[in-house]
Amino acid sequence: MDGNLTVEVDIQVMLDKPPVWTPTNTVCSDMLAFLDAADNTDVSFEVGSGDGKELLYAHGPILSARCPTLASLAEGCDPDTPIPIGDVQADVFRMLLRFIYAGEVPSKKVIHEQAKDIIRVADRFGCTGLKLTAEAELATAGITTENAAELILFADASNCA
């Protein structure tokens, strides 16, 4: 005996079907990179009011395909002249653009904190998916006897489902 121990193990894994490999879909991340780079944009928005104004850029053909209401604001406008959107916070409008470009939905925490602002902007510019997501989060955040009347009035004023 030389003090060696040899253990032989056979392992079999039974699968109903073999795993299928598919390449990673990068369309959403590519579209967000396209938005963030602001290359070849033909639409600009001046969002916010007072000292909080911010320029955000977009691509007309993408807006036409994904958000015709917003695209209609840019029709006939000079590409070098920003379209004023004074009654919307820049961070909320940025969320709207990210949803338009890639279907990106803000985190539940962000939606919970800014649900009403998101719903107003999504309703105004016709982004139904973003609006429904924010509505659902607002509803699940808790409707109480104290806030029910306020939320019903808000829902009616914002065309909520």
Side-chain angles (χ1 to χ4, degrees):
M1 295 279 160
D2 59 2
N4 288 331
L5 173 66
T6 303
V7 177
E8 188 174 320
V9 178
D10 289 328
I11 298 176
Q12 287 185 338
V13 177
M14 304 301 283
L15 298 175
D16 291 337
K17 57 184 177 181
V20 177
W21 178 85
T22 55
T24 303
N25 185 339
T26 62
V27 172
C28 291
S29 60
D30 293 344
M31 291 300 291
L32 289 175
F34 191 51
L35 172 65
D36 293 339
D39 292 335
N40 302 314
T41 58
D42 57 351
V43 180
S44 61
F45 299 99
E46 186 176 60
V47 184
S49 57
D51 293 339
K53 288 183 181 177
E54 190 173 332
L55 281 177
L56 298 173
Y57 300 92
H59 303 84
I62 292 173
L63 295 179
S64 294
R66 301 270 298 150
C67 189
T69 304
L70 192 56
S72 68
L73 289 177
E75 285 179 10
C77 290
D78 179 8
D80 297 325
T81 304
I83 299 164
I85 311 277
D87 53 349
V88 175
Q89 298 170 357
D91 62 331
V92 175
F93 196 80
R94 191 176 297 105
M95 285 182 233
L96 176 76
L97 287 176
R98 293 179 72 81
F99 182 82
I100 291 167
Y101 273 69
E104 181 182 270
V105 176
S107 70
K108 284 187 178 276
K109 179 182 179 202
V110 170
I111 291 177
H112 180 72
E113 292 170 355
Q114 295 181 293
K116 288 182 180 179
D117 293 331
I118 294 168
I119 290 169
R120 282 186 197 101
V121 169
D123 181 55
R124 178 176 169 185
F125 297 113
C127 286
T128 308
L130 180 60
K131 182 180 175 192
L132 289 173
T133 302
E135 285 177 25
E137 184 60 30
L138 186 60
T140 58
I143 299 174
T144 65
T145 54
E146 289 81 24
N147 68 9
E150 174 197 345
L151 290 176
I152 289 170
L153 290 172
F154 174 77
D156 183 57
S158 304
N159 306 306
C160 291

